[in-house]
Amino acid sequence: MSEMYTKHAETYDSVVRNNIYNACLERPSLQALLDNVQGLDIIDMGCGSGIYAGYFLEQSARSVTCLDLSSDMVSIVKRKFGDKVTAYVQDIAAGLPQEAANSADVIVCPLVLHYLDDLRVVFNDVHRVLKPGGYMVFSTHHPFADFECSASGNYFATERVQEEWNTVGTPVTVNFYRRSLTDICNAITAAGLVIARLTEGTVSEDAKAISEETYNHLKHNPNFLFVRCEKLRT
Ligand SMILES: C[S@@+](CC[C@H](N)C(=O)[O-])C[C@H]1O[C@@H](n2cnc3c(N)ncnc32)[C@H](O)[C@@H]1O
């Protein structure tokens, strides 16, 4: 796992509160796919420092369960929210083994799935854990955006990509997977989930005041993909 989410977890937490990519693009675009969550049981897969958990508590969710591979991130979540949330370390590549079948109304997974080499296990388990009529909303790197980093030049190949990101003010190496839109959609539908909405996000006007250059880039280029998938009531 990248040091971005371990050694730099505290800095990551303060940076993503107000930066362009998370605060002005990712969160508003993902939240636009959520219905009212008041009174609902929510699982946040790859919760990071708990920015979404805070949002769900503010929205009066009934329960918020936060999972992350990084124990540093889980510690931050526990420190911030104490017993208002359940938080534990979990590699979601193995799914949600500690969660009961038909127990969650909503599962969110913001900006995590590109760290997994195989999406089948996680989507199968999301289907198991969602209540009938429940839904998952996730965001991930846009397949087209990451294609610029492709070594093979083959859009349809799933590839491991290594980049240096300056998110926390110092270059940190990050490894992730680039995959086609077809592969993402197939993993969802093979699990029995139905894709209800798919968007490419919209950068908010607030971003202009932070960096006009980044705002203009995101206004004209896809960066993330946002998907809502549902477990049908049978
Ligand atoms: C870009 S951050 C997003 C954090 C949070 N979802 C948010 O939007 O603020 C990615 C998070 O995914 C976690 N992560 C990466 N691989 C994971 C895995 N296999 N299982 C669970 N969490 C993982 C990282 O530790 C990190 O906290």
Side-chain angles (χ1 to χ4, degrees):
M1 182 178 27
S2 170
E3 285 191 345
M4 175 94 81
Y5 308 125
T6 54
K7 187 173 157 192
H8 300 289
E10 297 283 352
T11 313
Y12 182 86
D13 177 40
S14 59
V15 168
V16 298
R17 285 169 206 226
N18 299 308
N19 69 350
I20 292 188
Y21 282 85
N22 297 78
C24 302
L25 172 59
E26 197 281 330
R27 289 200 296 275
S29 302
L30 186 142
Q31 286 164 8
L33 297 183
L34 294 168
D35 300 327
N36 184 351
V37 296
Q38 185 177 4
L40 300 185
D41 297 315
I42 300 182
I43 298 176
D44 184 353
M45 297 201 305
C47 58
S49 60
I51 303 224
Y52 273 95
Y55 172 76
F56 292 131
L57 291 173
E58 275 167 26
Q59 303 295 311
S60 305
R62 181 166 67 179
S63 71
V64 182
T65 303
C66 299
L67 330 173
D68 202 283
L69 181 57
S70 161
S71 57
D72 300 273
M73 290 298 193
V74 171
S75 298
I76 292 174
V77 169
K78 285 185 170 166
R79 188 187 71 218
K80 280 186 184 172
F81 304 114
D83 60 11
K84 291 193 193 125
V85 303
T86 302
Y88 62 91
V89 173
Q90 174 67 52
D91 181 354
I92 63 159
L96 298 164
Q98 297 195 46
E99 300 302 318
N102 304 318
S103 60
D105 295 292
V106 179
I107 297 179
V108 295
C109 191
L111 297 180
V112 189
L113 293 178
H114 41 267
Y115 296 115
L116 306 187
D117 66 347
D118 188 336
L119 299 180
R120 287 173 298 183
V121 173
V122 72
F123 279 115
N124 284 340
D125 230 22
V126 164
H127 185 271
R128 179 185 67 81
V129 168
L130 279 175
K131 298 177 189 176
Y135 65 93
M136 176 197 198
V137 173
F138 71 86
S139 60
T140 191
H141 292 181
H142 193 288
F144 186 72
D146 283 349
F147 190 44
E148 289 170 7
C149 322
S150 168
S152 72
N154 177 3
Y155 170 82
F156 294 102
T158 296
E159 296 180 283
R160 192 161 187 253
V161 177
Q162 186 170 84
E163 285 190 332
E164 300 255 290
W165 290 356
N166 270 303
T167 314
V168 292
T170 181
V172 178
T173 303
V174 183
N175 290 292
F176 58 88
Y177 292 89
R178 191 204 62 75
R179 51 173 57 87
S180 68
L181 182 59
T182 302
D183 277 7
I184 296 170
C185 293
N186 284 349
I188 297 168
T189 54
L193 295 163
V194 173
I195 296 171
R197 289 186 67 192
L198 186 152
T199 76
E200 291 163 303
T202 307
V203 65
S204 67
E205 293 301 303
D206 308 351
K208 241 189 249 180
I210 304 173
S211 163
E212 191 140 4
E213 188 187 343
T214 308
Y215 167 82
N216 282 329
H217 174 73
L218 294 174
K219 195 81 184 157
H220 301 113
N221 296 274
N223 200 77
F224 300 134
L225 190 70
F226 301 86
V227 180
R228 171 169 164 148
C229 37
E230 300 181 351
K231 176 169 170 176
L232 297 179
R233 293 171 208 277
T234 45

